[in-house]
Structure formats: structure tokens, C-alpha cells
Amino acid sequence: MELPKLKTVNTNKSTKKKILLLGDDLRLPSGIGTISKEIVINTVSHYDWIQLGGAQNHPDHGKAFDVSPDVAKESGVEDANVKIVANNGYGDRNILFAILHAEKPDAILHFTDPRYWAWLYELEHELKTTFNVPLFYLSIWDDLPYPMWNSPFYGSCDLIMGISKQSDNIHKEVLEQNGFGVYDFDLGDNKEDPNLEWDDVVTSYVPHGLNHNIYKPLSESDELYQRFYNEIKIKNNVDFVVFWNNRNIRRKQPGDVILSFKQFIDYLPKDKQDKVALVMHTEPVDPNGTDLRAVWKCIAPNCKIIFSDKKLSSQELNAMYNVADVTVNIASNEGWGLSSTESLLAGTPIINNVTGGLQDQCGFLDENNEWIGFDTKFSTNHKGRYKLNHGKWAIPVFPSNRSLQGSPQTPYIFDDRCNFEDVADAMYSWCMMTAEEREECGWAGREFCLTHGLTAQQMGNKIIDIMEFFFRYGKQKRPKYLLNKVENVTYKEMGIV
């Protein structure tokens, strides 16, 4: 009998751990999808990935894709291993268990709003006992007050990475105030012997990062730059452009952006008013927002407002940032604000509302000349405790009022609204600078991003560091049963007569 030929095995080749990613399909252009893609691209050298890629009315629902060749080409990692299971909505226990049985991942990484994933956290005990798989969470929370109703979600996690300094503080406060143990990876002195208990939650700050080799300053001779310069500035006969790149939804305040631009135009001499334009890269009409063309015609009929509603590649979008003179984001709730990061990496200065993750990107410094952080006593800079000492690349606009909004699922959250006249003042300030001064500020903003972890490569490295820390020290098997001693209490002691 002839024996089969044996293949040579490389015993020195390390076996990668596999991570199951839950969130928006990484092929989609949403903020979650964009960052999911950057995470996979920049960690695929360390991990294999499988994603349950969700979307409303997903065109590929029920199909599975091996995108390893595409990821290998883009990342340069020859042994990249990435699969996507497309799904309508955000899945359920049946599809999750099917993936867990088939793929046997070493961890689950959830990235999106917990409200859509309540079913996932209800399975926490089963995930950690039957499947012995830890639950990681890249988490966003836009604003205060502390969302105490999220404590069961946060407490179900083994590791939570907050995308903003405010989010990171919210996670720690909600956990600690509800009796959960917290190990702060960023402050932990002894990372070689952290003495983690099975029910401790590891926390860390992992800001969003983007590809700094795509979003970058372009020379005036660049072909894409010339194309958009001609389409925007030459065709419309303008020499100053305010850029707004967001979804047309209420919390992004698109109407206030137009109103602010109109106020800014009124500040200018008559002979200058026709030389500035507002470019809005969005859907002009959206049921979750408003009809922006109607707002334009009624509120600012004499202003040059250019709508860009065609899908653009990242390279084309970068060219638009380069052509723009300033980018504005005055969302009243904002977990991070990718358009501000894209703009800074492209070397274009910003106007930001001081809320959520937008305040991180303003570069506020404290009395020790250090990038501000948040804790119990100082949980947000919306009141301007640190007002003047910020990055030269930003003109921050502070909220003029805070309104407590809510819904049955999210009972309360502050809505931080800034005054449109303050935004107009910021536009005017950037306009009064020379092009050289704005360019210098923009380059300073790019340098800030490169040195403070706001690139995709740095984000990926931080995620690798903290997940490897957990795999080394934190993966203690959860007990299948917890026994609690119940004291004998009489009816009288309970107040029952």
C-alpha cells in the first residue's frame, strides 16, 4: 500500500487568532463601515477576520464572501484571511451561533450602537461559558449625562475601547458607579501582572484613525486637485470655500450650516460676497434631515451653495478637502466626526462644535500644556474651561445651549447646539486670513493627527496592543454558575405584617 505524500509544515509560522467583527459591512461607506475596514486592513497581519456585515436591506443578504485577495493587495499582507457574511439588519442568535460553530473565533469585536444589539448582550453568559469567547466592544457615546441604562451592555464586555476621551470616561464612570471592576489600560502601571479578575472590564482610549497616505495635502499640479479646483472654484468664480461633508440628518444641523453661511456672507463687503461658496457633500433631500435646496432658496437665495451628491472615492474626497479652505462640523451630537479628521489629514483647517469627539480634534491643552482628558469632576469641555489654548488648526465654537433629549431606548442625552452667529464669526475669521496662513494652520493640524494617534495605522497598532494584553492576562474562563448566599429574612424585617 502506497502512503500519501506528506506536506512540509513550517513549525516556525505563528498561528493567528481569529476575530469575529460585528457591525456595518466594512465594504459600505458609512462611518462604522469605513473605520471597520481600516481596523481590518491595519490588523490583518496579526489577526484573521470574519465579519457579520450588517446593513438595512443588504443587497448581498445571505451570501458569504472571501475578500482575502483584496485585503492582501491593499494591506500588503500576503496571508490575509478575511471573510464577510452579509446580513439584513444586525443579525440574531441563530446566525451568530452558526458562525461561532463554523469559524471558532478567539474573540468577538462589536462596533456600533448597543441598542441594535440587545440580543447579543443577552447571550453574554452563554458566549463566555459554552463558547469560551470574550466580548470586546469599540464603543461610542455622544454625550452626557452618564447613560446608566447602558451599564448592562458595558458590564457584559471584557474589553471596551472608547473612540473619544469623553466616551472613555463615560464607560469607566458608568461601570464603576454600577459596581463593576475596571482596569484602565492607559493608566495601568503594572501591565506585566495586572491581576485581572474574570469579571473586570478593561478600558482604553482608541481614537478613530484614517489612512494618512490617502488623506494628505496635494500639490496644485495634481490631476485630481486640478479637476476639483476647476469644478468648484473656477467654474463658480470663487476664491474661498467652506466645506461640509455629513449625512443630511437632524443632529448634523445642516440648516444651521446654511444659516451660518448666510450670516457670514452678510459680514462681507458687497464686492466680496460673490467670491465665496459653501460646498455641501450630502444628499440634498433626506427624510431624516430636510430639503436643503428649499432651505437655500428661502434662507440664503443670494448665496453660492454647491451640492455634491455623487459617490466619490477616498482620493476624490481628499481632493475636495484640498480645494476647500475650511471644513465645518457643528453637529449637536457627534461620537467622533470623521470629516474633521479627513480635513486635518488633508491639511485643511476646521470649525468644530465643542461636543463629543469633535472636541478631541481641537487639541485643547490644560494648565500643564497637555492634551485635556476627562474624569468625574471634569467630564466635558463644552463650557470652555479650556477655551483659548487649542490647536491653531481649529476655531472651536462652544454650545450656546444644551437641551435634554431622549427616547424610550435612550431616556436622556444632551443636545449641544451652538449659535449660528458664532459659526459665522468663525467662517469670517478663516476668510480674513491669507491662503498662506490657512495652509500653515492646516499643516499643523495634520501634524497633530500624525502625533496623537489619529491615523489608521496608529489605531490598528493600539487595538493590537490592547487585545494582545487581554489575550495574555484577561482570558480567564467565566464560572458557569454563580452562587449567592441568601440570608433568612423574616416578613417583619421586610416590612410585611
Side-chain angles (χ1 to χ4, degrees):
M1 176 175 144
E2 185 177 354
L3 295 174
K5 294 182 179 180
L6 301 178
K7 294 182 180 180
T8 302
V9 177
N10 181 3
T11 57
N12 294 320
K13 184 177 180 181
S14 62
T15 302
K16 296 180 184 177
K17 285 185 167 56
K18 183 183 293 185
I19 311 297
L20 170 58
L21 177 61
L22 304 178
D24 291 5
D25 193 317
L26 61 83
R27 298 169 298 171
L28 298 177
S30 69
I32 300 290
T34 297
I35 295 299
S36 294
K37 177 183 175 182
E38 294 293 358
I39 290 172
V40 169
I41 293 293
N42 287 278
T43 61
V44 74
S45 60
H46 257 70
Y47 305 116
D48 293 336
W49 289 90
I50 180 165
Q51 185 189 33
L52 176 57
Q56 296 298 328
N57 302 315
H58 203 308
D60 296 325
H61 172 67
K63 299 178 182 178
F65 301 87
D66 187 340
V67 296
S68 303
D70 295 328
V71 174
K73 183 178 179 180
E74 186 165 347
S75 66
V77 178
E78 294 182 359
D79 64 344
N81 186 351
V82 182
K83 301 173 186 175
I84 300 173
V85 178
N87 190 73
N88 276 341
Y90 294 105
D92 54 36
R93 63 177 292 148
N94 294 327
I95 191 169
L96 175 65
F97 285 175
I99 293 174
L100 291 175
H101 280 295
E103 297 292 337
K104 296 179 174 56
D106 295 280
I108 295 172
L109 174 59
H110 168 220
F111 175 31
T112 191
D113 192 323
R115 290 175 299 164
Y116 304 118
W117 297 82
W119 64 267
L120 171 68
Y121 292 95
E122 290 171 357
L123 301 174
E124 177 240 354
H125 189 272
E126 195 167 355
L127 292 174
K128 295 177 183 178
T129 55
T130 302
F131 294 97
N132 194 28
V133 56
L135 184 58
F136 301 162
Y137 185 18
L138 184 58
S139 177
I140 307 161
W141 199 256
D142 290 354
D143 213 337
L144 299 166
Y146 293 117
M148 293 303 173
W149 67 88
N150 278 345
S151 63
F153 301 129
Y154 298 162
S156 297
C157 297
D158 298 284
L159 163 63
I160 301 182
M161 296 170 278
I163 71 165
S164 73
K165 288 173 177 278
Q166 183 172 270
S167 290
D168 185 39
N169 178 55
I170 284 173
H171 300 147
K172 289 182 285 191
E173 284 293 324
V174 170
L175 285 166
E176 289 174 349
Q177 290 187 35
N178 284 277
F180 294 98
V182 175
Y183 178 88
D184 189 334
F185 176 81
D186 300 320
L187 297 179
D189 295 327
N190 189 359
K191 289 189 173 62
E192 297 303 318
D193 186 19
N195 193 29
L196 295 177
E197 299 293 334
W198 67 265
D199 56 348
D200 285 342
V201 182
V202 179
T203 65
S204 182
Y205 171 48
V206 184
H208 278 347
L210 293 164
N211 190 332
H212 65 288
N213 294 314
I214 291 179
Y215 292 100
K216 61 184 179 180
L218 300 175
S219 68
E220 293 184 358
S221 61
D222 183 89
E223 183 179 345
L224 272 179
Y225 178 89
Q226 281 295 322
R227 173 184 144 195
F228 283 95
Y229 184 89
N230 290 331
E231 288 183 6
I232 295 173
K233 287 193 170 179
I234 299 299
K235 182 178 177 181
N236 294 282
N237 191 28
V238 297
D239 52 27
F240 182 81
V241 170
V242 177
F243 188 40
W244 185 80
N245 174 26
N246 283 289
R247 280 189 63 200
N248 177 7
I249 56 178
R250 293 178 183 87
R251 70 178 177 85
K252 301 287 188 177
Q253 309 301 326
D256 280 359
V257 172
I258 293 176
L259 189 59
S260 300
F261 185 71
K262 168 63 168 61
Q263 184 72 29
F264 156 57
I265 293 293
D266 290 344
Y267 292 159
L268 298 175
K270 293 292 183 183
D271 61 333
K272 300 289 186 182
Q273 293 182 354
D274 200 42
K275 302 294 288 183
V276 299
L278 170 63
V279 176
M280 306 189 80
H281 183 58
T282 191
E283 290 291 337
V285 180
D286 192 305
N288 296 300
T290 187
D291 183 340
L292 293 177
R293 288 196 176 96
V295 177
W296 170 33
K297 290 176 181 178
C298 294
I299 302 299
N302 298 320
C303 300
K304 288 184 176 178
I305 299 181
I306 303 164
F307 293 103
S308 165
D309 57 358
K310 293 181 180 178
K311 185 178 179 180
L312 300 177
S313 67
S314 298
Q315 290 78 6
E316 289 172 322
L317 191 56
N318 177 61
M320 291 191 76
Y321 283 112
N322 273 263
V323 170
D325 295 279
V326 62
T327 300
V328 59
N329 189 332
I330 57 168
S332 59
N333 289 125
E334 190 69 274
W336 180 253
L338 285 179
S339 65
S340 295
T341 314
E342 292 166 346
S343 183
L344 291 178
L345 287 172
T348 299
I350 58 175
I351 299 169
N352 273 7
N353 186 18
V354 181
T355 188
L358 289 175
Q359 58 191 319
D360 289 20
Q361 300 178 69
C362 293
F364 290 106
L365 300 178
D366 63 19
E367 55 272 2
N368 298 315
N369 222 32
E370 295 180 351
W371 197 17
I372 64 170
F374 300 120
D375 55 25
T376 307
K377 296 180 180 178
F378 175 55
S379 52
T380 176
N381 195 38
H382 79 279
K383 287 185 177 180
R385 174 174 172 179
Y386 302 105
K387 198 166 189 176
L388 300 178
N389 197 4
H390 57 78
K392 62 192 296 184
W393 56 87
I395 295 183
V397 180
F398 292 86
S400 61
N401 67 88
R402 309 186 86 188
S403 172
L404 195 66
Q405 305 295 317
S407 68
Q409 287 186 308
T410 56
Y412 53 83
I413 187 171
F414 277 130
D415 197 46
D416 295 342
R417 291 176 176 263
C418 55
N419 189 324
F420 71 91
E421 293 173 327
D422 294 338
V423 182
D425 291 343
M427 292 178 181
Y428 183 80
S429 295
W430 284 119
C431 186
M432 290 300 101
M433 294 184 192
T434 65
E436 292 74 20
E437 288 172 330
R438 289 193 296 268
E439 183 178 3
E440 181 183 337
C441 292
W443 273 100
R446 177 175 170 84
E447 184 62 25
F448 169 79
C449 292
L450 297 180
T451 56
H452 286 77
L454 308 191
T455 71
Q457 185 178 35
Q458 292 166 318
M459 176 180 65
N461 289 340
K462 181 70 179 286
I463 288 175
I464 290 171
D465 286 346
I466 188 171
M467 292 208 307
E468 286 302 301
F469 169 82
F470 183 85
F471 284 132
R472 184 174 181 182
Y473 296 111
K475 196 175 181 181
Q476 300 180 37
K477 190 173 178 66
R478 178 184 178 125
K480 285 194 174 183
Y481 303 100
L482 296 176
L483 300 178
N484 296 299
K485 184 177 180 180
V486 179
E487 301 288 346
N488 289 325
V489 181
T490 66
Y491 284 116
K492 185 176 181 181
E493 290 173 323
M494 290 189 293
I496 302 174
V497 179

